[in-house]
């Protein structure tokens, strides 16, 4: 089944040109099937790029998926045209009476700030609280993973002296977990982050388990034992050239910046070594954590 998105969303044409199976909302309304309702809180500055990246990963499944994009109301994005946000995004006030099968919260370039200094922190905590009872399972990416672990489980962070930036090797700690089903024992994920998690606090928390880790980073994929929360501290959704774009941008801002670790191959071009890993993890999340756990009627059963 294709992913259901508005046919005038810029990502629609990009994905169609890639031969990704997408369906517009009009055609989807004629299908005799209940699609999975996925909410995406997009906190990334370049929202159009993040939309395409996430929709590409969500499309690789036989399940029909209807996506709703969510933006913050307490902070207005400056890198995305206002008309795009108005046309394709909802605010929390507009959706808080609805329920969703799954929620994805993206990263944001605010790792150096204390959580309470983030302009939309209060609004984000309201969404975190909402997800406890109105969403079957939530997938937290990069900064959202740090923020979610702090809010739900009081896991602290440490601001790094230099940005963790590059392509890092990881190993599976729980290879039998359904999220990692089919994954190789070693795999790569791109990282671009200025903070690290308190590893000891995660190990000591009986409600959490580390599914994958890196000797250079520590825990990278963490989940709650009740399967309600997935935390991934890297950027599985990134395109092949995303780190390169960030590197070129940072070079213009400062003279002393290291190139992304282990990212450029012998030819000097980015090495795309995580696409199959990303596709597999998102497909497993949709199948095992969303589809097989969510009730058919979201409004008749308690999903908290």
């Amino acid at each position: 089944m294709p992913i259901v998105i508005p046919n005038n969303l810029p990502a629609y044409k990009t994905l169609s040109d890639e031969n990704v199976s997408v369906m517009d909302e009009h055609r989807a309304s004629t299908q005799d099937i209940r699609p999975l309702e996925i909410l995406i809180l997009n906190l990334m500055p370049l929202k159009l790029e993040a939309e395409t990246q996430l929709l590409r990963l969500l499309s690789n499944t036989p399940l029909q998926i209807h996506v709703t994009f969510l933006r913050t109301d307490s902070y207005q994005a400056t890198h995305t045209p206002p008309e795009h946000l108005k046309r394709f995004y909802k605010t929390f006030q507009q959706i808080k009476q609805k329920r969703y099968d799954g929620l994805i919260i993206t990263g944001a370039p605010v790792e150096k700030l204390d959580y309470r200094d983030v302009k939309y922190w209060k609004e984000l905590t309201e969404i975190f609280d909402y997800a406890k009872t109105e969403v079957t399972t939530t997938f937290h990416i990069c900064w959202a993973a740090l923020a979610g672990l702090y809010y739900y489980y009081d896991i602290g962070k440490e601001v790094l002296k230099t940005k963790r930036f590059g392509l890092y090797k990881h190993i599976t700690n729980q290879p039998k977990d359904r999220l990692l089903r089919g994954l190789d024992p070693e795999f790569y994920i791109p990282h671009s982050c200025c903070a690290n998690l308190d590893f000891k606090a995660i190990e000591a928390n009986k409600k959490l388990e580390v599914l994958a880790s890196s000797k250079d980073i520590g825990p990278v994929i963490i989940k709650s034992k009740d399967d309600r929360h997935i935390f991934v501290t890297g950027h599985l959704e990134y395109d092949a050239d995303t780190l390169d774009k960030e590197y070129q941008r940072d070079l213009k801002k400062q003279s002393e910046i290291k190139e992304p670790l282990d990212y450029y191959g012998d030819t000097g071009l980015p090495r795309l070594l995580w696409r199959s890993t990303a596709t597999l993890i998102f497909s497993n999340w949709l199948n095992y954590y969303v589809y097989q756990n969510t009730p058919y009627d979201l409004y008749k059963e308690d999903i908290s």
Side-chain angles (χ1 to χ4, degrees), residues 129-197:
D129 287 338
Y130 159 84
K132 292 178 183 177
T133 58
E134 308 304 316
V135 177
T136 302
T137 181
T138 303
F139 197 113
H140 308 73
I141 299 172
C142 196
W143 178 79
L146 275 62
L149 284 164
Y150 171 74
Y151 188 73
Y152 291 125
Y153 303 102
D154 198 30
I155 303 297
K157 69 174 180 180
E158 174 191 8
V159 176
L160 301 170
K161 293 181 180 179
T162 57
K163 181 166 71 171
R164 184 172 67 242
F165 188 45
L167 190 56
Y168 289 80
K169 183 185 291 187
H170 308 79
I171 60 170
T172 56
N173 298 79
Q174 302 288 341
K176 293 184 179 180
D177 189 90
R178 295 175 299 169
L179 188 71
L180 306 184
R181 185 166 291 175
L183 206 64
D184 291 331
E186 294 184 346
F187 57 92
Y188 289 87
I189 298 178
H191 286 261
S192 178
C193 189
C194 297
N196 223 5
L197 289 166

Side-chain angles (χ1 to χ4, degrees), residues 163 244-254:
K163 181 166 71 171
D244 180 64
K245 289 179 179 178
E246 290 186 16
Y247 178 51
Q248 301 304 326
R249 177 202 66 195
D250 290 348
L251 277 177
K252 294 178 181 179
K253 293 181 179 180
Q254 51 186 309

Side-chain angles (χ1 to χ4, degrees), residues 113-122 125 143 150-151 154:
L113 296 176
D114 183 274
Y115 293 115
R116 290 172 177 78
D117 291 334
V118 176
K119 293 181 179 179
Y120 46 80
W121 179 250
K122 183 177 183 298
T125 61
W143 178 79
Y150 171 74
Y151 188 73
D154 198 30

